[in-house]
Coordinates of all heavy atoms in Angstrom, one line a residue:
L733 N -2.5 -17.5 12.8 CA -2.0 -16.4 13.7 C -2.6 -16.3 15.0 O -2.3 -15.5 15.8 CB -2.2 -15.0 12.9 CG -1.6 -14.9 11.6 CD1 -1.9 -13.6 10.9 CD2 -0.1 -15.1 11.7
G734 N -3.6 -17.2 15.3 CA -4.2 -17.2 16.6 C -5.1 -16.0 16.9 O -5.4 -15.8 18.1
V735 N -5.6 -15.3 15.9 CA -6.6 -14.2 16.2 C -7.9 -14.8 16.6 O -8.5 -15.7 15.9 CB -6.7 -13.4 14.9 CG1 -7.7 -12.2 15.1 CG2 -5.4 -12.8 14.4
T736 N -8.5 -14.2 17.7 CA -9.8 -14.8 18.2 C -10.8 -13.7 18.4 O -12.0 -14.1 18.6 CB -9.6 -15.6 19.5 OG1 -8.9 -14.7 20.4 CG2 -8.6 -16.8 19.3
S737 N -10.5 -12.4 18.4 CA -11.4 -11.4 18.7 C -12.0 -10.8 17.5 O -11.4 -10.8 16.4 CB -10.8 -10.3 19.6 OG -9.8 -9.6 18.8
A738 N -13.3 -10.3 17.7 CA -13.9 -9.6 16.5 C -13.1 -8.4 16.1 O -13.0 -8.1 14.8 CB -15.3 -9.1 16.9
V739 N -12.4 -7.7 17.0 CA -11.5 -6.6 16.7 C -10.4 -7.1 15.8 O -10.0 -6.4 14.8 CB -11.0 -5.8 17.9 CG1 -10.1 -4.8 17.6 CG2 -12.3 -5.3 18.7
G740 N -9.8 -8.2 16.2 CA -8.7 -8.7 15.4 C -9.1 -9.2 14.0 O -8.2 -9.1 13.2
F741 N -10.3 -9.6 13.8 CA -10.7 -10.0 12.5 C -10.8 -8.9 11.5 O -10.7 -9.2 10.2 CB -12.2 -10.7 12.6 CG -12.2 -11.9 13.4 CD1 -13.4 -12.3 14.0 CD2 -11.1 -12.7 13.6 CE1 -13.5 -13.4 14.7 CE2 -11.1 -13.8 14.5 CZ -12.3 -14.2 15.0
V742 N -11.0 -7.7 11.9 CA -11.4 -6.5 11.1 C -10.4 -6.4 9.9 O -10.9 -6.4 8.8 CB -11.5 -5.3 11.9 CG1 -11.5 -4.1 11.0 CG2 -12.7 -5.3 12.8
W743 N -9.1 -6.2 10.2 CA -8.2 -5.9 9.1 C -8.0 -7.1 8.2 O -7.7 -6.9 7.0 CB -6.9 -5.4 9.7 CG -7.1 -4.1 10.6 CD1 -7.0 -4.1 11.9 CD2 -7.6 -2.9 10.1 NE1 -7.3 -2.8 12.3 CE2 -7.7 -2.1 11.2 CE3 -7.9 -2.4 8.8 CZ2 -8.0 -0.7 11.1 CZ3 -8.3 -1.1 8.7 CH2 -8.4 -0.2 9.9
F744 N -8.0 -8.3 8.7 CA -7.9 -9.4 7.8 C -9.2 -9.6 6.9 O -9.0 -9.9 5.8 CB -7.8 -10.7 8.7 CG -6.5 -10.8 9.4 CD1 -6.5 -10.5 10.8 CD2 -5.3 -11.2 8.8 CE1 -5.2 -10.5 11.4 CE2 -4.1 -11.2 9.4 CZ -4.1 -10.8 10.8
A745 N -10.4 -9.3 7.4 CA -11.5 -9.3 6.7 C -11.5 -8.3 5.6 O -11.8 -8.5 4.4 CB -12.8 -9.1 7.5
F746 N -11.0 -7.1 5.9 CA -10.9 -6.0 4.9 C -9.9 -6.3 3.9 O -10.1 -6.1 2.6 CB -10.4 -4.7 5.6 CG -10.5 -3.5 4.8 CD1 -11.6 -2.7 4.9 CD2 -9.6 -3.1 3.9 CE1 -11.8 -1.5 4.1 CE2 -9.6 -2.0 3.1 CZ -10.8 -1.2 3.3
A747 N -8.7 -6.8 4.3 CA -7.7 -7.2 3.2 C -8.2 -8.3 2.3 O -8.0 -8.3 1.1 CB -6.4 -7.6 4.0
G748 N -8.9 -9.4 2.9 CA -9.4 -10.4 2.1 C -10.4 -10.0 1.1 O -10.5 -10.4 -0.1
A749 N -11.4 -9.1 1.5 CA -12.4 -8.5 0.7 C -11.8 -7.7 -0.4 O -12.2 -7.8 -1.6 CB -13.4 -7.8 1.4
A750 N -10.8 -6.9 -0.1 CA -10.2 -6.0 -1.1 C -9.4 -6.8 -2.1 O -9.4 -6.6 -3.3 CB -9.2 -5.0 -0.4
L751 N -8.6 -7.9 -1.6 CA -7.9 -8.7 -2.6 C -8.8 -9.5 -3.5 O -8.5 -9.6 -4.7 CB -7.0 -9.7 -1.7 CG -6.1 -10.6 -2.5 CD1 -5.1 -9.8 -3.4 CD2 -5.4 -11.6 -1.6
A752 N -9.9 -10.0 -3.0 CA -10.8 -10.7 -3.9 C -11.4 -9.8 -4.9 O -11.5 -10.2 -6.2 CB -12.0 -11.3 -3.0
A753 N -11.8 -8.6 -4.6 CA -12.4 -7.7 -5.5 C -11.3 -7.3 -6.6 O -11.6 -7.2 -7.8 CB -13.0 -6.4 -4.9
A754 N -10.1 -7.1 -6.1 CA -9.0 -6.7 -7.0 C -8.7 -7.9 -8.0 O -8.5 -7.6 -9.2 CB -7.7 -6.4 -6.3
V755 N -8.7 -9.1 -7.6 CA -8.5 -10.2 -8.4 C -9.6 -10.3 -9.5 O -9.3 -10.5 -10.7 CB -8.4 -11.5 -7.6 CG1 -8.4 -12.7 -8.6 CG2 -7.1 -11.6 -6.8
V756 N -10.8 -10.1 -9.1 CA -12.0 -10.3 -10.0 C -11.9 -9.2 -11.0 O -12.0 -9.4 -12.2 CB -13.3 -10.2 -9.2 CG1 -14.5 -10.1 -10.3 CG2 -13.5 -11.4 -8.4
F757 N -11.6 -8.0 -10.7 CA -11.5 -6.9 -11.6 C -10.3 -7.0 -12.6 O -10.3 -6.5 -13.7 CB -11.6 -5.5 -10.9 CG -13.0 -5.1 -10.7 CD1 -13.7 -5.5 -9.6 CD2 -13.6 -4.2 -11.6 CE1 -15.1 -5.1 -9.4 CE2 -14.9 -3.7 -11.4 CZ -15.6 -4.1 -10.3
S758 N -9.2 -7.6 -12.0 CA -8.0 -7.8 -12.8 C -8.2 -8.8 -13.9 O -7.9 -8.5 -15.1 CB -6.8 -8.2 -12.0 OG -6.5 -7.1 -11.0
F759 N -8.8 -10.0 -13.5 CA -9.1 -11.0 -14.5 C -10.3 -10.9 -15.3 O -10.4 -11.5 -16.3 CB -9.0 -12.3 -13.8 CG -7.6 -12.8 -13.3 CD1 -7.2 -12.4 -12.1 CD2 -6.7 -13.4 -14.2 CE1 -5.9 -12.8 -11.6 CE2 -5.4 -13.7 -13.7 CZ -5.1 -13.5 -12.5
G760 N -11.2 -10.1 -14.8 CA -12.5 -9.9 -15.5 C -12.4 -8.9 -16.6 O -13.4 -8.6 -17.4
H761 N -11.3 -8.1 -16.6 CA -11.1 -7.2 -17.7 C -12.1 -6.1 -17.8 O -12.5 -5.5 -18.8 CB -10.9 -7.9 -19.0 CG -9.8 -8.8 -19.1 ND1 -8.5 -8.4 -19.1 CD2 -9.8 -10.1 -19.2 CE1 -7.7 -9.5 -19.1 NE2 -8.5 -10.6 -19.2
A762 N -12.8 -5.9 -16.6 CA -13.9 -4.8 -16.4 C -15.0 -5.0 -17.4 O -15.7 -4.1 -17.8 CB -13.2 -3.4 -16.7
Q763 N -15.3 -6.2 -17.8 CA -16.5 -6.6 -18.7 C -17.6 -7.3 -17.8 O -17.3 -8.2 -17.0 CB -16.1 -7.5 -19.8 CG -15.0 -6.8 -20.7 CD -15.5 -5.6 -21.4 OE1 -16.7 -5.5 -21.8 NE2 -14.6 -4.6 -21.4

């Protein structure tokens, strides 16, 4: 997407972190 600024990274970083945590809790069955 050609994002190069720290400001531009923010929402992608937030979305990536949220998606990773959601995947872990979904497949980890909260154990």
Side-chain angles (χ1 to χ4, degrees):
L733 299 178
V735 179
T736 57
S737 67
V739 175
F741 296 156
V742 167
W743 299 112
F744 293 98
F746 191 96
L751 182 60
V755 168
V756 170
F757 272 83
S758 297
F759 288 94
H761 302 292
Q763 298 300 317

